[in-house]
Each structure stands twice: as structure tokens, then as C-alpha cells.
Amino acid sequence: MIMLQQARRLLSTRWRTGGCLAFLALTACGGGGSNPLDNPPNVSNPRGTVGQKLSYVYFQKCINPIFLKQLPVHQNGTVSNNTCAGSGCHDNTSGTGGAFRIVSGAQSVDLGSPANTPDVVRETDMYKNFYSAQGEVVFGAPMESRLLTKPMVLNVLHGGGLVFENADDPNVKLIEYWINHPMPEGQDEFSSAGHNMFTPADPETGSCNIE
């Protein structure tokens, strides 16, 4: 009887020791959590930021026409007239002016028509011009944007020569205003906020603001 009791006490001691060791082993593998049997915490990815867009309606009415104008070009001591969308400049098919491309025959899009949804507009030639021009822009920094530094020859070469002699050029004023007034964060390029860039605030009847 005495021998049986001693055997039971020995087994009980070994079980407690083994159980504690097993628990400690689980704790060591638990990654520092308060409960070693819990799942690991969820991975938390930082929320991405949404990039702003420039106004499409202001571009269509006020900026795209600049690229089609006959403008004086100063180059090698001579002055000639040409358009930004010319075949030797930024024409989308035969231009040699880098990544900036213009479809000279792009038609204005009636944004008031329910048929012209954003997806439809984004397939048009006018939108291609908008997208290409926006790609030459540093939002809020006109004089760091190639859309101006190139034709103004500001610390950068421009194969097309000097187009805008200074910041007082009316065309520069329009481009500056466009770059300085991106649409509110979270709103796309068709935001009605773009209407405030006209006086009165109506793209159909208003004039293009420059300040």
C-alpha cells in the first residue's frame, strides 16, 4: 500500500513538471502576446493617399486652345510663328517634342450631356490632350512644371525655342492658374469645383479666371 502511494506521488510530480515545461515552450513561441494561444495581430497597411487631378473643363476651354494658336517663336536670333500642336513640335503622330503630345483635331466634349460619362470622355482625343498636359505638371508649382519651363526656357532646353518671353504673357497666366487650382482631394477631374474657375461660375458662359 505504501509503495502504491509513493508511485502515485512520483507520477503526479512528473506530470506537473512536464506540464509547466510544455506551457513555457508555448509561451516562448507565442511572439510576445499576452496569450500564447491567440492568433497573431492583423497586419496593418498604411492607407494610400489619393492623388489630386486638375480641372478637365478648364483645360478644355482655356488651356487646349493655347496649343492650337499661332505663337511667336524666338530661336537662333529669328522669330517665326508656329503652334505647339505643329507637326515638328508636339503633334501626336509626327511631332518630335518628347512625351507631350497634342491631337490638334480634338473636339470639345459636351459635359452637360448625360451620355458623356467620365468613362466616355476619357476615351476622347480631347481627354488625351488633357492627360498629356497634366503629365507635364507639378501641382501647385507652375514654374517647376515642364508645361511652362520648356516654352519659357527656364533652366531647361527647349527644341521649339522661346515661346513665352515672361510670366506676364496671357497664356502663361492661364496655365499658371490651371496648375495652381487642382480639384479637391477625393474628387476627380470632372468635379463641379472646376466651375469656380470661371466668372461667372459657368463653363458655358463664363470667362477663364487667371487670378
Side-chain angles (χ1 to χ4, degrees), residues 80-100:
S80 59
N81 290 320
N82 202 354
T83 69
C84 296
S87 59
C89 297
H90 298 284
D91 178 76
N92 68 305
T93 56
S94 58
T96 58
F100 178 44

Side-chain angles (χ1 to χ4, degrees), residues 40-59:
N42 292 331
V43 175
S44 179
N45 291 314
R47 185 177 180 180
T49 56
V50 179
Q52 287 180 283
K53 304 290 182 65
L54 296 179
S55 169
Y56 173 85
V57 68
Y58 189 88
F59 171 85

Side-chain angles (χ1 to χ4, degrees), residues 54 59 63-64 67 99-102 126-139 145-148 175 178-179:
L54 296 179
F59 171 85
I63 305 300
N64 192 74
F67 306 142
F100 178 44
R101 298 292 177 174
I102 293 296
M126 182 61 73
Y127 191 86
K128 292 174 185 176
N129 290 355
F130 165 80
Y131 189 82
S132 184
Q134 185 176 248
E136 302 293 308
V137 161
V138 177
F139 288 10
S145 301
R146 286 175 296 182
L147 199 61
L148 281 178
I175 296 172
W178 183 53
I179 294 173

